[in-house]
Amino acid sequence: GKTSLIKLLLREYDVDKGAIYLNDHDIRDYRLTDLRGLMGYVPQDQILFAMTIRENVAFSDPQVKEEEVIKALRTCGVYEDILAMPDQMETVLGERGVTLSGGQKQRIAMSRALVMNPEILLLDDSLSAVDAKTEHQIIENMKQERKGKTTIITAHRLSAIVHADLILVMENGQIKERGNHEELMAQKGWYYETYQAQQLSEEMEGKLNENI
């Protein structure tokens, strides 16, 4: 259901009942191009084109400055990975290019959305393929880079959303819990139990890796 909500915001389809409001206006009152022009979207299944990394990141604006491309790649924690590649920014991706890890694909796709500098950034479980340490660094970077703008994150790993101003827990299409991380932890409900379980799982995995 998380992806369905994102697609409703993008108006890939509309609600059958009720309405979705943006700045007190029904989103159906906006021209579709204007609405989508406000948003940068990173889907669960990233699409990278058979072109260079530079061209992939600058896809929405081929005239974007080099420093803006590098800034986005740094924010998403993938620039150092690219520097280690033989052709660096000129590395060709896609079926004719290098094979990237899932985490690298996610971070390059996120960089492409960041270069747009959208008013609303939609990240649909876009950090699922990176480790917890990298995830934390990316979130911290985004908090700095996107001050004053809206970022909507869907996630199954709750560590990706602990810094959010508002967290919504949904079940069967209804909001079950709402609040920030501290408020939801105090409620001792689904969020609390799931967060504790995920933290314990990460700690056990870390200890296991230390012993290998």
Side-chain angles (χ1 to χ4, degrees):
K2 300 189 297 294
T3 298
S4 296
L5 285 172
I6 296 294
K7 290 186 175 182
L8 285 170
L9 290 173
L10 291 164
R11 287 200 64 199
E12 291 193 19
Y13 42 78
D14 286 324
V15 291
D16 296 324
K17 298 178 181 178
I20 298 172
Y21 287 87
L22 174 63
N23 294 329
D24 296 324
H25 294 281
D26 189 323
I27 62 172
R28 289 170 292 193
D29 293 338
Y30 289 84
R31 289 192 305 178
L32 195 57
T33 52
D34 291 341
L35 178 69
R36 292 180 178 171
L38 293 171
M39 301 181 183
Y41 174 43
V42 185
Q44 286 179 312
D45 299 319
Q46 295 77 31
I47 299 173
L48 296 179
F49 305 105
M51 52 179 63
T52 68
I53 290 175
R54 184 199 313 277
E55 291 169 329
N56 265 280
V57 176
F59 187 78
S60 64
D61 180 10
Q63 304 305 315
V64 68
K65 294 180 180 178
E66 177 85 357
E67 54 263 34
E68 291 300 317
V69 172
I70 293 173
K71 181 180 179 182
L73 291 166
R74 286 189 185 278
T75 298
C76 295
V78 72
Y79 186 59
E80 297 301 322
D81 291 18
I82 292 169
L83 291 183
M85 298 176 185
D87 295 322
Q88 299 184 355
M89 297 280 281
E90 301 308 315
T91 300
V92 177
L93 305 182
E95 49 194 39
R96 292 175 296 163
V98 69
T99 300
L100 301 176
S101 70
Q104 288 170 331
K105 290 178 182 177
Q106 284 188 334
R107 286 175 284 168
I108 290 173
M110 288 173 61
S111 300
R112 184 168 58 205
L114 277 182
V115 160
M116 296 171 59
N117 195 26
E119 287 298 320
I120 303 171
L121 178 62
L122 306 171
L123 302 179
D124 190 5
D125 218 356
S126 303
L127 295 168
S128 59
V130 302
D131 59 68
K133 182 179 179 181
T134 303
E135 171 192 82
H136 177 76
Q137 188 58 57
I138 292 171
I139 294 295
E140 288 298 313
N141 292 345
M142 286 202 171
K143 284 171 62 180
Q144 296 298 317
E145 293 297 327
R146 291 194 49 77
K147 282 183 178 178
K149 292 184 170 63
T150 299
T151 302
I152 298 175
I153 303 174
T154 73
H156 72 277
R157 192 165 64 189
L158 300 186
S159 55
I161 58 172
V162 293
H163 300 296
D165 299 304
L166 175 64
I167 300 169
L168 301 177
V169 177
M170 300 193 69
E171 183 178 46
N172 298 324
Q174 302 293 321
I175 296 176
K176 186 177 181 182
E177 300 173 31
R178 66 183 297 155
N180 60 31
H181 174 71
E182 289 74 19
E183 291 166 344
L184 292 181
M185 290 297 285
Q187 290 179 27
K188 299 288 181 75
W190 181 93
Y191 181 91
Y192 168 84
E193 293 174 358
T194 305
Y195 180 79
Q196 294 286 74
Q198 289 184 0
Q199 289 296 105
L200 179 60
S201 177
E202 286 184 14
E203 288 177 12
M204 292 178 65
E205 184 178 341
K207 290 179 179 178
L208 181 62
N209 290 336
E210 288 175 3
N211 293 329
I212 293 177

